[in-house]
Amino acid sequence: MALTPVRVALKALLDSVPNPTPAETLPLAQCTSRVLADDVAALRTQPPFANSAMDGYAVRAEDLAPGTTLRVIGESAAGRSFAGSLKAGEVVRIFTGAPIPRGADTILIQENADGVASDTIRVREAAPKGKFIRAAGLDFTAGDVLLKAGRRLDSAALGLAAAAGHPALPVRAKPLVAILATGDELVLPGETVGPDQIVASNSFSLAAIVEQAGATALDLGIARDNYPDLAARIERARSAGADVLITLGGASVGAHDLVQEALTRAGMALGFWKIAMRPGKPMMTGRLGEMVAVGLPGNPVSSIVCGHLFVVPLIEALLGMPEPARDRSEPGILGCDMPANDEREDYLRSDLVLTKAGWEATPFDRQDSSMLGLLARAQALAIRPAFAEPARKGDPCRIIRLR
C-alpha cells in the first residue's frame, strides 16, 4: 500500500467528520476556552453615553483661553452624573468614566488647570474641542456582531460578551474522545512491572492533547492482544457516545497487531493507513458509524506527534472552528547541516533559539520515536519535506513550536 502524504491524510480525516457537535447554552462563567456555536451580537451600546476618558473638568472648548478663570458648578462621577447643564464660563469637575454634562464638549485634564478657590479654576493650557471625550457607541452599538461562530472564548472575548450584556453563550458541546491503549506488554504507572512489560504512557499524553484542544477524554484502559477484549472496549466507546475513538498501538503489520482487524470486525470503513511521515507511519483512520476512528502508533513520540498533527485539527473540526486544516508551521532556519531526505516527511525534535535571522531549529542527533525524554526537551519540530535535497545550516525550513 502506497504511503499517504501528510496533507492528503489530514484532508481525508477532516472530510470524514460528520458534523460539528451540537450547541449548548452555558453561563458566561463556564465558557472559558469553549467554542462559540453561533455569532454573538451586542445587546446594548457601549459606552451607553458619552463619558470622560480622564480626570479633570468638563468644559466648553470656546472658554479655554489660557489664563481664563472658570466657575466650578458641580461634579460628575461614574455612577453619579451631574444633572444640570453648563453655560458660558462654567465647568463641572469630572472623573474617568463619568457622563459628560449637557453643554460640555471637551475635557480639560486636571494637570492643565490651577485651582484658585473651592469653586474656581484657572486654565493653564487649552484643549481642542472633543478632547478626552469618549462618544456613545465608541466600542460597539446594539446589534453589532461582536464574535463569530467558531471563536474560542479567551479572556478578551468573554469580557466583550459580558460588556455586551450576555449572561450566557451558545457553545459547542465538548467532543468526547475515547482513548484505548493496547498491548500485553503494558501496565499502568504504579503497578508492578513484569520482566517483559513497560509502563503505559501514551494514553496520558493523548488525553492531555485532547483536553487542551477542547474535548473530553474518556480513558478506556488497556486492551490485551486478543479480539474479545478489543471488541468489548470498542463497544464501550460506542455505548458512551464517543465522537472519536483513538487507539494506541497495534496498528502495524505484526502478528500481534490486531487493532485494524478488530475495528474492521466492528464495522469500520477504513479511510487510510500508513502515512508518509516520520515518526508516525503506521497511523490509520476510519469511520465506525458516526464515530471517527484514529489508530495511532504505539511508539510514544509517534503518537504525540500524530496527536498534534491530526487529533488537534480533528477536534477543531468537531468544534466547528474555522480552517482546522490550516498550516500550523511557521518559518525558521536550520541550525545545522541536514542530509537529503527520503519519501517520508520528517518531524525532527529540535532545540529552538531566536536569532536575528529568525527562529533557528537544531534537530537532536538522536530521533528515536521511543525517546520521550528528548521530546520533553524539544522546543520545536523541524519539518524536512519528503525528497528534500541536502540542506546547510542557515537554510530556511518550517517549524512547529511545541512550547
Side-chain angles (χ1 to χ4, degrees), residues 25-241:
T25 299
L26 294 180
L28 202 60
Q30 297 177 23
C31 289
T32 302
S33 296
R34 300 297 292 268
V35 175
L36 276 176
D38 296 305
D39 292 351
V40 172
L43 300 178
R44 58 187 298 276
T45 295
Q46 177 76 354
F49 44 78
N51 69 86
S52 178
M54 300 288 284
D55 292 344
Y57 299 89
V59 301
R60 304 189 324 155
E62 62 192 86
D63 291 340
L64 287 180
T68 301
T69 298
L70 302 172
R71 186 164 65 92
V72 180
I73 62 170
E75 179 181 284
S76 183
R80 192 175 67 254
S81 63
F82 177 75
S85 180
L86 265 72
K87 298 182 179 62
E90 296 177 340
V91 300
V92 168
R93 182 74 167 109
I94 197 166
F95 299 93
T96 303
I100 303 299
R102 291 188 301 276
D105 58 21
T106 304
I107 301 299
L108 177 68
I109 60 174
Q110 60 190 24
E111 294 89 339
N112 290 338
D114 294 320
V116 178
S118 61
D119 61 352
T120 306
I121 64 165
R122 180 178 293 113
V123 178
R124 181 185 303 171
E125 184 178 321
K129 185 176 181 179
K131 187 69 172 178
F132 298 123
I133 290 182
R134 298 174 179 141
L138 176 66
D139 199 354
F140 53 79
T141 301
D144 288 349
V145 174
L146 304 178
L147 299 167
K148 301 291 287 185
R151 168 74 181 262
R152 194 180 292 277
L153 293 165
D154 56 11
S155 57
L158 288 169
L160 180 58
H166 289 274
L169 292 173
V171 296
R172 291 288 174 195
K174 287 188 173 185
L176 180 62
V177 179
I179 300 173
L180 175 59
T182 69
D184 289 340
E185 75 279 14
L186 299 179
V187 297
L188 291 173
E191 294 182 344
T192 301
V193 183
D196 300 317
Q197 293 182 307
I198 59 174
V199 176
S201 63
N202 294 8
S203 54
F204 299 97
S205 300
L206 265 295
I209 290 173
V210 163
E211 297 278 352
Q212 288 167 1
T216 298
L218 171 64
D219 184 5
L220 298 179
I222 301 171
R224 299 308 167 189
D225 289 326
N226 63 76
Y227 289 118
D229 196 10
L230 285 164
R233 293 174 193 266
I234 292 169
E235 182 54 36
R236 183 183 165 199
R238 282 174 143 170
S239 299

